[in-house]
Structures are given as structure tokens and as C-alpha cells.
Amino acid sequence: MAQVAGLAGVHASTVSRALNPETRSMVVPEVVDKVLEAAKSLGYRVDPIAKSLRTGRSRMIGVLIPDISNTLFAPILSGINDFLNDTGYSVIVAEVGNDVAKQLELADRLVAHRIDGLVLGTVSRKDPIVDFCLDQSVPAVLVNRAETSSRLSAVISDDLASMQLAVEHLYELGHRRIGHIAGPPEHSTGYLRRRGFEFAASHLELKNTACEVASAYTRSEGAAAMDRLLDQYPDITGVAAANDLLALGAYDALAARGLSCPDDISIVGHNDMPLMDIVHPPLTTMRIGHREMGRQAAELLQQAIERRDRSCRNIVLPAQLVVRNSTARV
Amino acid sequence: MAQVAGLAGVHASTVSRALNPETRSMVVPEVVDKVLEAAKSLGYRVDPIAKSLRTGRSRMIGVLIPDISNTLFAPILSGINDFLNDTGYSVIVAEVGNDVAKQLELADRLVAHRIDGLVLGTVSRKDPIVDFCLDQSVPAVLVNRAETSSRLSAVISDDLASMQLAVEHLYELGHRRIGHIAGPPEHSTGYLRRRGFEFAASHLELKNTACEVASAYTRSEGAAAMDRLLDQYPDITGVAAANDLLALGAYDALAARGLSCPDDISIVGHNDMPLMDIVHPPLTTMRIGHREMGRQAAELLQQAIERRDRSCRNIVLPAQLVVRNSTARV
DNA sequence: GTGAAAGCGCTAACAA
DNA sequence: TTGTTAGCGCTTTCAC
């Protein structure tokens, strides 16, 4: 920087002002040009670490997700990247599992690194990490899952309505005895989709609606829940699963019993993850715009950071039924 | 830090030495205890940014991958995380696509942030980003893909041998006219697997071995390549694809022609990605230990960083045939 | 509109 | 073994 100042014949502080778009207007244009040229000819670029130390900001934002291998999060991350890369922010992705202590530890580390904001894809319906963000006044936005009380802005899909649509689809195919494989109730997705199922069931006056709760969004938990469902309610003809992985687990459970989907039992999933068109049978499911979800979360976060906008907005995206071959007429 | 020094009744530099495990031995144990206690009671933690500015290091390592939604990279990332989290490093994942300029730009940004090392999952067989790392003497390790000349340590799978195993599997099922859907030749995986196919073909004295190159590891490119293969060599009975996504694309192409796998054509994939057991038909493929691949790459990188070990080692992991239902006797 | 000077929080040479 | 001092590279108040 001193070299640039020397070459341009100005003081280092003028170089700083000329190079920073936000303070550039303080410098007379011809000096700006001189500085820019000197910087370019020396290949000089401001040191982000020194800048962070001084300003307390970093133009980096962190994204916390529970599990990278869950393909659900891939399009969300892409959406976040798409939006934020164009705005000069870098995105740090951290896989933090479901351990709250580890999540807090990592959030703390990110804050120590002067991260400008956080996108949280991990929250439960009442999550200590939200307390952390509020306490430290770290700008943060929730994505995919929300808290019960709106303490931070969130972008989620309309989980309640989309599960109703899924159940109505089964109803229209003639199913009257329908079961539900619920997701973990501590997550808004598991909770709200279950509520959606119950609403639809009572509204459609279904008889014998059965529900089993999976303790995690995994294929094996889905299989276990499906087993319990079949044991207790052997006469169900359709199942609405809270998520595609649970639906695939249900496939596994059916196969193990020599039952066929959709001949014996129809199954509808949720999310329309990649490859759901090529599993066997191709899965009928609810498509959610996860990429758009990530994009909007990033936009909300940018506003929270740059406009110091601490207002709390919830964006709810609609889901759309994708009919494939896992559901059939009774 | 000044407060901690005050409370412990020592100078700030002593606090620094006591708090840093590497310099702690310079301080007499009872002073260390006093400092540690003072720090704890004040909730003090060293500022990583200030530390980075001073030391030029950050205890963060960056991972460059082309595409987060490719589930291939998820277990690699998990493996890297597993190893590195226990060693006090944080991992930054950056999705950089296939654009070399963008990759260099991001690597540059990470270096500016004093990143201690880089794991590269993106390299082509001769990649400018390796030049970059060498020029800047940034410790770096390649994973999954390698360069043709070993300029940096790499952890890859034995692509040549594993493709031979895949072809031999088809041979043993009676197939004699076998086609290959090759991956992009600029990547070592695409190149070496093709070489493996050719070796096996000449060794087994196959007649009419056909090859079509997919320009990217995507389902749609796989379908296009399969179409070309079927047009030119309508009598093939088996196909070895360079990767599972290409194999799924081949499924699509067969379905579009009303052909059946494995009745009309057997297909073997490569990687054993998640869900390959539940696609239709369940895919016969080569299983690669991607998690272990990530773990070993992380270990190599740690050694390169901490032991300043610039020696170049290549670790080659074996692959294993997983037989499912996409391959059958002729 | 630009220069001077202080300081963000830490570490490492040097001195004691 | 510990304290002193300088400085990593930048921004920002305060003068001018």
C-alpha cells in the first residue's frame, strides 16, 4: 500500500479512500485514476485480514447445514451462492451435524472471524443458536426450517399446505385409509407437515388415519416407521411421507415384506430431491423450489447486513405436486 | 488481552505465550494456570483475525469442488471434516464450477485470507490452479482427480484397474460386444477409466469395442452418449460407463427407445453414489471409498502444512465391484 | 480534498 | 522466564 502511495505520489490514506468504493467520493476523480493505475501496475490488492481487523467486517457469510450429503441442501447452497457471489460476498459452508454444542462452537468461531452474517439451515422449532445470534446481534436468516416464534427472518416452504395437497392427491385416487410417516417433531418441517396431514385427514373425514414418527430424516428411519405403520394398520392403502428419504425407506420396508408400490400401497414423498424420477417406482412427491429458497434467504440476509434491517420477515414458498408412479388408484 | 494480563498480574506477551500451546512451554506452569484462569473468568478468547494478521496463518483450510450437488463430493467432504476438525482446523468449502478463471479468483481470495492449505477436487490433467499453488507455495493436495504429472500429492482411486474390473465383470457374464461411455478426457477419471476400458478390451480380445465420450459427468450427457453408441453399434450387449450419473443417463436413453436393462443391455457404473441401490434397475457399479479418500487427503495436507513437507505422494485406493441388477448373463 | 497519526489485537525479536 | 517494543496492513478521526 505504501508502494502504491509512493507510485501515485499521494499518502497511504488517500490510497485507502480511492480504493474503497464507499469512500471513493472523498477523493478527486483524477487522483482516483492515478491510484487505481498505480495499484494495477503493482498488482496490489487490499488485504482483507487487515481490513477486517480494522473494520470488524469481512464480506464473508457463513452457512450452517446439518449434513452435506443430504442433496436437499445442494440447491439451497447454489441459490445462496448465485445471489451472494454477485454482491461481492464469499460463502463459507459449515457442516455441523445435529449436535447443538458443536453448532454453537462453530457459530462462535465464525463470529470470531468477523463473519458478516449467518444462514441457518439447522434450526429446531426453538433453537439456542437463534438466541446466540440475537445476543451477539449477528445478522441471520433461517432457511428451510423455521422456529415456532418468528425471532429471525426465514424462508421456508408452505409445509402445512403442501402436505394437505399430498393427502388430497391420495384421496382423489380413491384412498380412504391413509397413513403418515412424520419427520422429527422438533423441526418445523416434521411438525408442520404432520399438522397438514391431520388437517387434511379431518377435513376429508378420513377413517383410520395412522401416524408414525421417524426420529430422523433418513432412509432407515423411514423403513422402521413404515414397518410400525404396517404392523398397526394393515389395511392402509396410501402413505404420505414427510420427506423423500423417508419415502424411500418406506419402499425398502415394502420390499422386505414382498409388497409392491403402488399396487399394494401408494406412497407420496416430499421435496422432489434429485433422482426421484429414476428410483423404482418413480416417486410422486411435492416439489419445492430449494434453489429459490436459498436465493431469497441470501437476499434477506444481505438486506439485514447492509441496511441494518432487523425486521423479521417470513417468506413462504408454495410447493407443487409432481405425479409419478408411486401413487395409483385404489 | 490487556484485561487478562491485568487480572493475572503479568504482561500481555506472557498471556499470549501462555495461551498458545506451541509457546506455552516458555512460561512457568503456575503462571500458565493463573493466565488460563483469568482468561476463563473474563470469557476471553484470542482473536483469530489479529492473530492471522500477525502470523500469516489462520488454521483454516479451503476445499475447492466443482459442484456441491454432485453427491460424490459429500463423503469426501465428510472425510476431510472428520480428520481436520480433530486437529483444530476449520474447513471452508467453495463451489467453483468448471470455470478456471473463477477457480483462480477464489483460490486467490482464500490465500488473501491466509488460508493454510487447499484441497483441490477440481483439477484437470494439466491445471493452472496447480501452477498457482506452486507459485504461491500454498500447501495443496489433489483429491479424486489428479494431474498427469505428479506436481502435488494426490489421493485418487485406481481408475484404470477399477474400469478393468468392471469390463471383466461383463465379460464373465458372457458379453463380448461391449461399449464404453467415457467421461471428459481432460479429467484423470475420464482419461484413466477409458484407458482401463481399452486395456481390458485388448486383453480380453473383445470384438467391436465402441466408445463414446460424454462432455460432462451429467445424466443428460450420459443419455446423449448412449444414444450415439446405440446408433453406431446396435449389436452391443453391455456398456461400462465412466460414472454412475452417466450410467443413469444410459438408463434414460434405453427407456426412450423402449429397451430394457439388463434384458437387452447390461450397464455397469462407477462410484456407487448414494441411492444407486434403489434406482431402477439397481445399478451394478464400482464402489470407491470416498470418505477415506477425503480423510487421507486431509492427513496429507496437514503434514504438508505442519511439517513443511513438500514431497509429492500419491495414494491410490482400490475400488470394489458391487453387483446389483443392471448386469445379467447374455 | 488530502495528510498525519493513532490503533484494531495480536506475536516475536530482543533485552533484561 | 518474563517484559519491552515494534509492527502485521489497513481505516478513520482529526487537522490542515
Side-chain angles (χ1 to χ4, degrees), chain A residues 45 47 108 114 219 277, chain B residues 45 47 108 114 219 277:
Chain A
R45 298 171 54 175
D47 183 324
D108 204 42
R114 309 290 198 283
R219 216 170 129 180
D277 62 320
Chain B
R45 299 172 53 176
D47 183 327
D108 204 41
R114 310 291 198 278
R219 218 171 127 180
D277 62 321

Side-chain angles (χ1 to χ4, degrees), chain B residues 2-34:
Chain B
Q3 294 182 41
V4 177
L7 187 61
V10 296
H11 192 265
S13 60
T14 304
V15 174
S16 169
R17 287 189 274 255
L19 257 29
N20 186 336
E22 291 173 23
T23 50
R24 186 167 296 159
S25 56
M26 298 175 173
V27 180
V28 79
E30 50 193 71
V31 176
V32 170
D33 289 344
K34 249 193 319 193

Side-chain angles (χ1 to χ4, degrees), chain A residues 231-282:
Chain A
D231 286 342
Q232 290 179 52
Y233 308 91
D235 61 346
I236 54 175
T237 62
V239 169
N243 149 309
D244 289 340
L245 281 173
L246 296 177
L248 295 185
Y251 280 9
D252 294 334
L254 286 180
R257 290 172 182 239
L259 293 174
S260 154
C261 170
D263 294 340
D264 298 309
I265 295 208
S266 287
I267 294 179
V268 52
H270 232 94
N271 281 346
D272 197 21
M273 275 180 14
L275 303 185
M276 290 307 100
D277 62 320
I278 206 172
V279 296
H280 184 69

Side-chain angles (χ1 to χ4, degrees), chain B residues 239-252:
Chain B
V239 170
N243 147 312
D244 290 340
L245 281 172
L246 296 178
L248 295 185
Y251 281 8
D252 294 334

Side-chain angles (χ1 to χ4, degrees), chain A residues 45-50 52-53 58 60 67-71 73-75 77-78 81 85 88-95 102 105-106 108-109 112-114 219 245 248-249 251-252 273-280, chain B residues 45-50 52-53 58 60 67-71 73-75 77-78 81 85 88-95 102 105-106 108-109 112-114 219 245 248-249 251-252 273-280:
Chain A
R45 298 171 54 175
V46 300
D47 183 324
I49 293 287
S52 285
L53 182 61
S58 66
M60 302 208 293
D67 175 17
I68 285 191
S69 66
N70 189 337
T71 50
F73 294 102
L77 288 171
S78 294
N81 266 330
N85 282 344
Y89 285 90
S90 301
V91 177
I92 293 184
V93 180
E95 182 184 28
K102 197 176 161 193
E105 143 87 33
L106 230 139
D108 204 42
R109 202 137 93 181
H113 279 281
R114 309 290 198 283
R219 216 170 129 180
L245 281 173
L248 295 185
Y251 280 9
D252 294 334
M273 275 180 14
L275 303 185
M276 290 307 100
D277 62 320
I278 206 172
V279 296
H280 184 69
Chain B
R45 299 172 53 176
V46 301
D47 183 327
I49 294 286
S52 284
L53 182 60
S58 66
M60 302 207 293
D67 176 16
I68 285 192
S69 66
N70 189 337
T71 50
F73 294 103
L77 289 171
S78 294
N81 267 328
N85 283 345
Y89 285 89
S90 301
V91 177
I92 292 183
V93 181
E95 181 184 28
K102 198 176 160 193
E105 145 87 34
L106 230 139
D108 204 41
R109 204 138 91 182
H113 280 282
R114 310 291 198 278
R219 218 171 127 180
L245 281 172
L248 295 185
Y251 281 8
D252 294 334
M273 274 181 13
L275 304 185
M276 290 307 101
D277 62 321
I278 205 171
V279 296
H280 184 69

